[in-house]
């Protein structure tokens, strides 16, 4: 997954966190999305400790405006998303 961009919603804990860590350790640049900034920071640290690159993005994915803002950021920063895991509960 080198040079691929992965977005994981619900990435602050549980399965989302585990998938983000796995994607990061496989070489993907991971954007972790959740509402909880503190837990997101912990998840980012775990991805980085596993050798991955990670970025936290605090957002409520039930808000269309928040999703559009995330979409604009992803397009501007990465150009393309290769993997999307929509795990938000």
């Amino acid at each position: 997954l080198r040079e691929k961009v992965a977005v994981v919603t619900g990435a602050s804990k549980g399965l989302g966190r585990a998938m983000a860590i796995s994607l990061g350790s496989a070489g993907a640049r991971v954007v972790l999305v959740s509402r909880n900034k503190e837990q997101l920071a912990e998840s980012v640290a775990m991805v980085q400790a596993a050798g991955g690159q990670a970025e936290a993005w605090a957002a409520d994915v039930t808000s269309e405006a928040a999703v559009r803002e995330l979409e604009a950021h992803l397009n501007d920063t990465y150009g393309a998303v290769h993997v999307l895991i929509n795990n938000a509960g």
Side-chain angles (χ1 to χ4, degrees):
L1 295 174
R2 295 259 175 247
E3 301 305 316
K4 302 295 183 189
V5 175
V7 177
V8 181
T9 68
S12 63
K13 59 186 177 181
L15 289 173
R17 177 182 277 176
M19 289 183 277
I21 292 167
S22 181
L23 288 163
S25 66
R29 293 179 288 170
V30 187
V31 180
L32 294 82
V33 182
S34 179
R35 295 178 296 175
N36 189 308
K37 292 180 183 180
E38 292 78 22
Q39 289 178 337
L40 270 178
E42 292 173 10
S43 294
V44 166
M46 290 177 177
V47 172
Q48 291 170 339
Q53 298 177 39
E55 171 189 0
W57 188 270
D60 180 347
V61 297
T62 65
S63 164
E64 184 175 348
V67 172
R68 294 287 181 191
E69 187 176 335
L70 172 60
E71 176 188 24
H73 170 70
L74 293 169
N75 286 333
D76 292 345
T77 305
Y78 301 104
V81 172
H82 304 97
V83 177
L84 171 62
I85 297 178
N86 193 14
N87 175 67

